[in-house]
Amino acid sequence: MSKKKFRDFFKSLKFRLVLLFLVIGILPMIVLRIGILNSYEQKAVSNRSTDVLSQAKILTNQIVFNNYLSDPESEIINSQLEQLSNIYDGRIMVIDDNFHILKDTYGLDEGKTIVSEEVMRSFAGEEISKYDSENCYIEMTIPLSGPESKEIIGVLLVSVSTDSIVLNQEYLENSAWIIELSSVMVVLLVAAYLSRALVKPFRKMEKEIVEIQNGYKTELKIKSYTETLAISACFNRLFGRMKVIDESREEFVSNVSHELKTPLASMKVLADSINGQEDVPVELYKEFMSDIGNEIDRETKIINDLLSLVKMSRSAADLNISSVNINELLELILKRLRPIAQKRHIELVLESFRPVSAEVDEVKLTLAISNLVENGIKYNKPEGWVHVSLNADHQYFYIKVEDGGIGIPEEDLEHIYERFYRVDKSHSREIGGTGLGLAITRNAILMHRGAIKVFSTEGEGTIFNVRIPLNYIAS
């Protein structure tokens, strides 16, 4: 068996079914083993806790009787503390009523303050004992009561190792494994047979998908199990979606062809008109050549927008992220567009509420915002206005492009980001629109992990709200 087939086998459903049957087959053995081991562990820990607690209580009486909390230098008590610590391979701390550690047999935390749930409960009069199986130790906190008033004057904290219990438990576990492995071989044979039978419908599904791929079938329907029926339904929905996408792609190609052919057709008509006439007047010749030049500019703009759209459709890895001063970027954009606004007698205003720096692709963001502002200028009323504002919080910066222009009809709002979609086709062609600007803008903003929303009232104006993270979020 080749390495690839070997890897595929381990990823296959058949292998996983065999594995499932193995698990089910040896599950009772595992439960039995775990029950025995846990029972042993609980019993051993209980015995160890009882021994340590009895010794610790004797030690607490000695601590109180010898007034150790007032004189922590007592050699007798210190010797007993060290002895108990060594016998049980543990650590002992003596804590006074100010939560100060008077004695630490490890010598690490003496003089420090300790506040824990167990210590607080012991100061309330409880004896606490808990077992941490993950870190293999038993911890106890025992209150120190005054000889007469019975007032809690301190706490004895004892931590002892349970490594010896763990070693014995491992020995028992190894013995149990030998028994379990003996039962695996029997279960394996049964599992292999059953898994082969269960996988058959999925092999049939694979063959039918190949037939669909080759065009012999148009629908997948495997009724063997409820699951295969559900998978078939999901596949058919996906297949239908792919058909829609393919049709959309064909429509896009058709639109691109149409948009590119229209200026060429106009140029051909103009050129044929000139060639079909003798002694063409210079004025008419210049007019036709000017019209041809305009059509060339229009063709160039369509091609440039298409190239920009292709770039925007690529992965975010193509972004050239750098720290950019957004205030200066917007000022530069408006400076470039101001001549267009002045030509159309449109008032162009920028309002910045705070300094903003962000991690963005300067070129792509410039293109996106320029499209929004330029649209606000072009689709405006005489003596109109375009207002651009910038604001930010701790996570995002916000750009609002608002105009008092002709607005967008409500039924067109959901389509404005579609490629080649125009709200007013005649007006768009008149001012040189390609129907790609907002698609480019939306893609650029999404590449920055941002969002764009539009609000518009026909005849009153349009507002585009853009939100982009201050710090670029890589996928």
Side-chain angles (χ1 to χ4, degrees):
M1 184 183 291
S2 65
K3 288 184 178 180
K4 184 178 184 304
K5 289 183 178 179
F6 198 69
R7 286 196 301 267
D8 290 344
F9 171 72
F10 279 99
K11 293 179 181 178
S12 67
L13 176 61
K14 182 178 179 180
F15 170 74
R16 295 180 184 184
L17 286 172
V18 170
L19 192 61
L20 176 62
F21 287 128
L22 281 173
V23 171
I24 295 175
I26 64 173
L27 188 60
M29 296 293 297
I30 294 175
V31 172
L32 182 61
R33 173 173 57 84
I34 293 174
I36 293 173
L37 292 175
N38 285 344
S39 176
Y40 165 76
E41 183 182 22
Q42 292 172 5
K43 184 64 175 176
V45 169
S46 176
N47 292 339
R48 177 67 61 86
S49 299
T50 301
D51 292 342
V52 173
L53 183 60
S54 63
Q55 294 293 328
K57 283 188 174 181
I58 295 173
L59 187 55
T60 57
N61 293 332
Q62 294 292 328
I63 290 173
V64 174
F65 180 77
N66 289 278
N67 198 21
Y68 182 77
L69 296 178
S70 299
D71 181 21
E73 302 299 328
S74 172
E75 293 184 3
I76 297 175
I77 301 302
N78 285 332
S79 175
Q80 291 179 352
L81 290 170
E82 293 292 342
Q83 183 179 10
L84 183 60
S85 175
N86 293 332
I87 290 174
Y88 290 104
D89 188 21
R91 181 182 186 183
I92 303 176
M93 294 183 186
V94 180
I95 305 164
D96 66 12
D97 56 358
N98 290 319
F99 301 97
H100 293 153
I101 300 173
L102 299 179
K103 176 65 178 178
D104 180 2
T105 55
Y106 277 15
L108 298 175
D109 295 328
E110 288 181 0
K112 294 182 180 179
T113 300
I114 180 171
V115 178
S116 68
E117 180 185 353
E118 290 77 15
V119 171
M120 296 293 292
R121 289 170 61 185
S122 288
F123 270 108
E126 292 186 52
E127 287 183 0
I128 309 298
S129 178
K130 72 172 186 177
Y131 171 50
D132 189 332
S133 58
E134 183 177 348
N135 296 303
C136 301
Y137 72 88
I138 300 170
E139 183 178 271
M140 300 177 179
T141 53
I142 305 163
L144 303 175
S145 303
E148 297 179 358
S149 63
K150 300 300 180 181
E151 180 184 354
I152 307 301
I153 59 176
V155 170
L156 183 69
L157 191 151
V158 182
S159 298
V160 297
S161 171
T162 58
D163 287 341
S164 61
I165 296 174
V166 172
L167 290 174
N168 290 335
Q169 188 177 11
E170 288 177 354
Y171 174 77
L172 290 174
E173 188 172 9
N174 290 334
S175 300
W177 272 112
I178 295 174
I179 300 173
E180 288 180 23
L181 290 174
S182 302
S183 63
V184 168
M185 300 306 297
V186 176
V187 176
L188 184 62
L189 296 174
V190 178
Y193 173 77
L194 291 176
S195 63
R196 183 181 181 87
L198 290 171
V199 167
K200 271 187 178 180
F202 294 97
R203 289 179 178 172
K204 183 181 178 184
M205 181 179 292
E206 180 184 0
K207 291 179 181 178
E208 289 202 10
I209 290 175
V210 172
E211 290 181 359
I212 292 173
Q213 183 180 359
N214 293 330
Y216 300 124
K217 296 188 69 174
T218 59
E219 188 179 32
L220 177 67
K221 200 165 188 179
I222 306 296
K223 299 181 179 180
S224 302
Y225 309 130
T226 303
E227 291 77 10
T228 56
L229 193 60
I231 293 172
S232 298
C234 290
F235 176 86
N236 292 330
R237 287 196 295 269
L238 176 62
F239 189 61
R241 175 61 180 161
M242 290 174 65
K243 285 183 179 178
V244 172
I245 293 174
D246 191 54
E247 292 171 359
S248 176
R249 186 183 296 109
E250 291 179 358
E251 182 182 358
F252 175 68
V253 172
S254 175
N255 287 338
V256 170
S257 301
H258 174 73
E259 293 295 333
L260 292 177
K261 285 168 63 178
T262 301
L264 289 173
S266 298
M267 286 186 278
K268 181 71 166 60
V269 170
L270 291 168
D272 288 345
S273 297
I274 294 176
N275 292 331
Q277 300 181 42
E278 295 181 0
D279 301 324
V280 179
V282 176
E283 293 78 9
L284 183 61
Y285 180 82
K286 287 183 178 180
E287 180 184 348
F288 276 31
M289 291 305 295
S290 175
D291 291 340
I292 290 174
N294 291 335
E295 293 299 327
I296 291 173
D297 290 340
R298 182 180 165 195
E299 184 92 0
T300 301
K301 182 170 177 55
I302 293 173
I303 292 172
N304 288 337
D305 281 354
L306 281 171
L307 291 174
S308 297
L309 192 60
V310 169
K311 291 179 182 179
M312 296 298 178
S313 299
R314 295 176 184 170
S315 66
D318 294 319
L319 289 175
N320 183 21
I321 298 297
S322 62
S323 182
V324 176
N325 186 313
I326 306 299
N327 305 76
E328 294 178 357
L329 180 66
L330 292 180
E331 289 175 1
L332 183 59
I333 291 172
L334 266 63
K335 181 179 179 181
R336 291 172 181 169
L337 295 176
R338 192 157 273 116
I340 300 176
Q342 291 174 348
K343 184 178 179 181
R344 295 174 178 269
H345 305 289
I346 304 297
E347 182 184 10
L348 197 54
V349 180
L350 172 62
E351 183 178 13
S352 297
F353 291 95
R354 66 189 75 249
V356 179
S357 291
E359 296 174 355
V360 296
D361 184 314
E362 183 173 357
V363 174
K364 290 183 174 60
L365 184 61
T366 298
L367 182 59
I369 304 304
S370 296
N371 281 336
L372 293 179
V373 178
E374 190 171 0
N375 280 353
I377 295 171
K378 290 180 177 179
Y379 298 94
N380 215 311
K381 300 174 182 177
E383 308 297 330
W385 53 268
V386 176
H387 181 249
V388 182
S389 63
L390 172 66
N391 208 341
D393 55 25
H394 66 286
Q395 191 173 2
Y396 299 96
F397 70 90
Y398 306 89
I399 298 175
K400 178 192 286 187
V401 179
E402 183 177 4
D403 66 68
I406 61 177
I408 304 171
E410 185 177 353
E411 62 271 16
D412 291 313
L413 284 175
E414 61 180 312
H415 302 290
I416 60 173
Y417 301 113
E418 296 176 8
R419 299 165 180 177
F420 295 112
Y421 186 84
R422 297 185 180 91
V423 176
D424 184 345
K425 294 179 175 57
S426 60
H427 188 52
S428 295
R429 293 187 187 279
E430 179 185 334
I431 63 176
T434 65
L436 295 171
L438 288 179
I440 293 171
T441 296
R442 180 175 180 271
N443 283 3
I445 292 169
L446 293 179
M447 288 176 75
H448 284 84
R449 308 290 186 265
I452 180 171
K453 290 185 178 180
V454 59
F455 305 92
S456 185
T457 302
E458 190 173 6
E460 295 183 9
T462 303
I463 301 173
F464 283 94
N465 288 325
V466 176
R467 184 194 71 188
I468 297 177
L470 293 169
N471 299 310
Y472 177 68
I473 306 169
S475 59

